[in-house]
Amino acid sequence: MKTNREYVEFADRFSANNYHPLPVVLTRGKGIWVWDVEGKKYLDMLSGYSALNQGHCHPRIAGALKKQAEKLTLTSRAFHNDRMGEFLKKICDITGYEKTLPMNSGAEAVETAIKVARKWGYSKKRVAEDKAEIMVCENNFHGRTTTIVGFSSETQYRAGFGPFAPGFKMIPYNDTEALEGNINENTIGFMVEPIQGEGGVIMPSDGYLHRCSEICRKNNVLLIADEIQTGLGRTGKLFAYEYENIRPDILIVGKALSGGYYPISAIACDNYIMEVIKPGDHGSTFGGNPLASAIGIAALEVIIEEKLARHAHDLGNWFMDELRKIKSPLILEVRGKGLLIGVVLKEKARPYCERLMELGILAKETHEMVVRFAPPLIIQQKELQWALERISDVLCA
Ligand SMILES: *Cc1c(COP(=O)(O)O)cnc(C)c1O
């Protein structure tokens, strides 16, 4: 096999048809660049949906992985391992929370947050058995498990997969009155994305999360921030909630927590919440394993030591300004924060993503009309300038 096409046809023979990828088969990655099987080089402007904030194959994380891979990889939580404590301390140190619970995929961490919040609701808020309610937003994306798709407003995510778990109430995003008006004595949590990434890089108004936080506090409702995509530097702060001077009760992280090496996720919160979890309540064979811990430690060190949040902030502002200068009748809006940017088009975005691919830029449409630009946070201005020229060519042609 030599060509992209041959590889695609081969994989399609064996793969479930659950994605519609761009027709490019990647075989190598380094930093912000990836190469396909025909040797063509591309700038990765999706970064594995923000799992690759540190760039492809970051040598420091690779080194940590290799070293740990030859020593000890999995103990299960039936025994302790000597790396997990250090990893969890690192998460607590950078987030300021007292406790953390490690899992693997983002969806599992969301499920973990739901379980912890519900148990807190029954044991601390004293909600009647099986009555706990969690509020979620329209247009949310929190993952793909049956419970999570059950509270999606996306018809396709749900169609054919019911019945769904009760206990969730949907309210419009960016609507604090709806939040306040729908809280009742059974409401135990409000789960929200600071920016709706998969929803099309939807930005709430300034002050929205701050107000949500006040409403939650007043009503003894846990504010659960899903920062799986917005966290770890992507939006120009370590966490997007910092823009609103708040502190969520439960924080959910994933994606860049491993720098793209391995599925690693976690929730973090203070002990008065986490203490409701007792041995046997929750777990995962791979969660907190020594290999994941070693990778996670290195991935977090890279984000902090290379000051990726600050870099995303400065470069993101500049890049968004430059995108706004592109004079194209196609562009409706450029929006985002840091290096999580959506360019909203008047037409379906897919053909433009295909044209960008031909010019050596990998970006993906989200919600049909939006092109998301979310390169690894290690990108430099001159590389973004290179991308801008091509983006401009495609959108002005
Ligand atoms: C990607 C994502 C998830 C799900 O993460 P997986 O690792 O794909 O399960 C959940 N929430 C948000 C905001 C995400 O962007």
Side-chain angles (χ1 to χ4, degrees):
M1 271 186 289
K2 286 203 180 69
T3 64
N4 285 293
R5 215 186 135 138
E6 285 169 318
Y7 277 90
V8 169
E9 279 167 7
F10 177 70
D12 279 353
R13 277 166 46 202
F14 305 102
S15 173
N17 189 23
N18 58 332
Y19 275 95
H20 181 39
L22 289 171
V24 57
V25 181
L26 302 175
T27 184
R28 189 158 71 87
K30 189 165 192 288
I32 61 169
W33 302 102
V34 286
W35 286 263
D36 74 10
V37 289
E38 297 172 28
K40 184 171 170 185
K41 179 182 173 186
Y42 305 84
L43 173 55
D44 182 357
M45 294 198 83
L46 180 68
S47 309
Y49 301 99
S50 296
L52 290 154
N53 289 358
Q54 301 90 334
H56 287 270
C57 300
H58 195 292
R60 178 151 175 195
I61 311 173
L65 183 153
K66 281 184 216 154
K67 205 165 146 214
Q68 190 63 39
E70 290 175 345
K71 196 161 171 248
L72 182 70
T73 59
L74 185 77
T75 55
S76 85
R77 299 283 305 269
F79 315 113
H80 295 272
N81 75 69
D82 61 356
R83 302 310 307 273
M84 189 181 80
E86 194 189 337
F87 177 43
L88 303 190
K89 176 179 189 298
K90 199 130 223 145
I91 296 175
C92 288
D93 282 349
I94 71 160
T95 61
Y97 292 95
E98 292 168 356
K99 295 273 182 178
T100 172
L101 198 169
M103 296 295 285
N104 312 285
S105 69
E108 281 177 297
V110 170
E111 293 273 358
T112 303
I114 292 168
K115 284 178 74 173
V116 170
R118 281 182 175 171
K119 195 148 187 228
W120 171 87
Y122 296 121
S123 60
K124 301 260 173 142
K125 190 169 173 170
R126 302 259 160 224
V127 167
E129 195 182 327
D130 286 347
K131 293 287 183 221
E133 234 175 61
I134 293 176
M135 262 193 293
V136 295
C137 291
E138 281 170 12
N139 204 38
N140 70 65
F141 184 83
H142 296 291
R144 302 289 205 149
T145 65
T146 46
T147 294
I148 294 170
V149 297
F151 58 78
S152 171
S153 56
E154 194 69 22
T155 322
Q156 198 202 342
Y157 292 176
R158 301 164 48 96
F161 301 122
F164 299 116
F168 300 93
K169 185 186 271 182
M170 180 121 50
I171 57 169
Y173 191 52
N174 198 26
D175 186 339
T176 52
E177 279 170 28
L179 175 62
E180 195 157 32
N182 279 285
I183 288 175
N184 62 45
E185 77 273 16
N186 296 325
T187 311
I188 52 112
F190 171 50
M191 183 157 64
V192 65
E193 300 155 83
I195 294 172
Q196 289 183 327
E198 292 316 295
V201 193
I202 309 277
M203 316 270 304
S205 322
D206 286 345
Y208 169 65
L209 270 192
H210 190 90
R211 183 75 195 114
C212 289
S213 167
E214 287 173 352
I215 293 167
C216 286
R217 184 129 314 145
K218 199 174 94 191
N219 292 282
N220 198 22
V221 166
L222 301 178
L223 178 64
I224 306 166
D226 180 347
E227 293 243 20
I228 291 171
Q229 183 158 162
T230 50
L232 300 172
R234 174 54 57 188
T235 69
K237 300 256 187 202
L238 201 46
F239 296 101
Y241 70 74
E242 292 168 37
Y243 281 105
E244 298 271 314
N245 288 312
I246 61 157
R247 187 167 181 267
D249 299 296
I250 300 178
L251 175 68
I252 312 173
V253 288
K255 293 198 168 118
L257 190 52
S258 75
Y261 277 86
Y262 193 96
I264 308 177
S265 67
I267 71 160
C269 59
D270 282 341
N271 195 42
Y272 75 96
I273 299 171
M274 199 70 96
E275 72 186 2
V276 302
I277 294 296
K278 305 287 183 227
D281 278 355
H282 192 52
S284 157
T285 303
F286 279 81
N289 72 67
L291 185 61
S293 297
I295 293 169
I297 291 163
L300 289 173
E301 282 171 353
V302 168
I303 289 170
I304 301 299
E305 287 173 27
E306 297 187 15
K307 301 187 170 59
L308 294 186
R310 183 76 230 169
H311 189 64
H313 178 271
D314 297 345
L315 267 191
N317 281 341
W318 173 82
F319 188 48
M320 243 183 302
D321 284 345
E322 293 297 312
L323 284 169
R324 290 193 176 113
K325 286 183 197 159
I326 297 177
K327 298 239 178 319
S328 162
L330 266 175
I331 301 178
L332 279 178
E333 191 188 0
V334 176
R335 63 191 180 210
K337 243 183 195 148
L339 283 170
L340 179 57
I341 297 169
V343 176
V344 189
L345 303 184
K346 281 191 192 135
E347 295 172 17
K348 287 207 163 127
R350 173 93 186 187
Y352 297 97
C353 292
E354 288 168 358
R355 299 260 289 287
L356 283 169
M357 186 184 99
E358 284 161 20
L359 297 184
I361 292 178
L362 293 182
K364 191 74 169 63
E365 77 276 10
T366 167
H367 262 235
E368 297 224 322
M369 319 286 263
V370 184
V371 188
R372 174 174 30 196
F373 291 115
L377 307 183
I378 56 167
I379 198 164
Q380 299 298 323
Q381 185 164 334
K382 65 173 193 304
E383 295 153 344
L384 279 176
Q385 181 66 49
W386 180 91
L388 270 168
E389 286 156 24
R390 279 147 191 83
I391 293 165
S392 177
D393 284 351
V394 164
L395 296 180
C396 297

